[in-house]
Amino acid sequence: MKIVVVADTHMPRSAKALPKRLVAELSDAKLILHAGDWTSEEVYRELARYAPVEGVAGNNDGGELAKRLGFSKIVRCGGFRIGLTHGHLPNPKRTALRNASLAFSPDEVDAVVFGHSHIPLLKRENGLLLFNPGSPTAKRRQPQYSFGILQTGEQGLKARHIFFD
């Protein structure tokens, strides 16, 4: 099962439309995960044109998005449990990675997807996959824009980044 993973889209401020490179991958996605900082419900509607969307709110999302999505959830797909959080809670003074690592217990989830830092990350810590897709629209100080792909299958849960200019 192919899952496209995005975070920190910050639309329409950072981009007026989804990048073409992202849209190309969305065409055969079975699920889309968004780890917060949509900043507009229009992003949800746009992504939902391609596949079912699961997401959480981030620190830049308004009250309506936060109320509708919440700040963390567990998504079950392909036999795996994926914890989804933005990374700004519970302690805004901690790094996004640290907050994401603490958001779920290892026996609750197989992976944690998060955003907030705009810094792509893929690592395993104590058997837990930690994955930040970066941002497809607001790269900040990163050399390239990015998003992620999760693949579920008999060989487990695999993650990779797609980088583009």
Side-chain angles (χ1 to χ4, degrees):
M1 168 187 251
K2 178 182 176 181
I3 304 165
V4 173
V5 183
V6 296
D8 298 294
T9 47
H10 294 275
M11 291 173 66
R13 188 182 74 220
S14 293
K16 302 298 181 221
L18 297 173
K20 290 179 183 177
R21 184 65 183 94
L22 174 59
V23 169
E25 292 296 331
L26 291 172
S27 65
D28 63 344
K30 300 298 182 215
L31 179 65
I32 301 165
L33 299 179
H34 195 302
D37 277 0
W38 315 64
T39 65
S40 166
E41 287 198 40
E42 182 58 33
V43 178
Y44 180 91
R45 288 189 288 276
E46 183 69 22
L47 291 172
R49 292 177 45 214
Y50 297 96
V53 178
E54 290 282 352
V56 294
N59 58 302
N60 286 297
D61 293 321
E64 283 301 312
L65 276 172
K67 185 177 169 183
R68 181 172 157 213
L69 300 171
F71 291 110
S72 67
K73 66 173 64 168
I74 297 174
V75 178
R76 289 172 169 71
C77 54
F80 296 94
R81 300 159 304 163
I82 302 169
L84 191 56
T85 188
H86 184 57
H88 68 296
L89 297 173
N91 184 343
K93 294 181 181 180
R94 286 190 190 132
T95 66
L97 173 59
R98 183 74 176 135
N99 279 331
S101 298
L102 296 171
F104 305 93
S105 66
D107 60 332
E108 280 185 295
V109 297
D110 303 298
V112 176
V113 168
F114 66 102
H116 190 54
S117 67
H118 297 231
I119 301 171
L121 176 92
L122 168 57
K123 71 183 275 188
R124 289 200 181 266
E125 195 172 273
N126 300 321
L128 184 65
L129 174 67
L130 297 164
F131 190 59
N132 184 328
S135 173
T137 54
K139 66 181 180 171
R140 290 190 178 163
R141 292 176 293 278
Q142 300 305 303
Q144 294 181 294
Y145 298 97
S146 63
F147 61 94
I149 305 289
L150 289 176
Q151 192 75 41
T152 65
E154 292 177 11
Q155 298 174 351
L157 182 63
K158 308 270 186 199
R160 65 185 169 95
H161 288 99
I162 294 181
F163 296 96
F164 63 100
D165 293 316

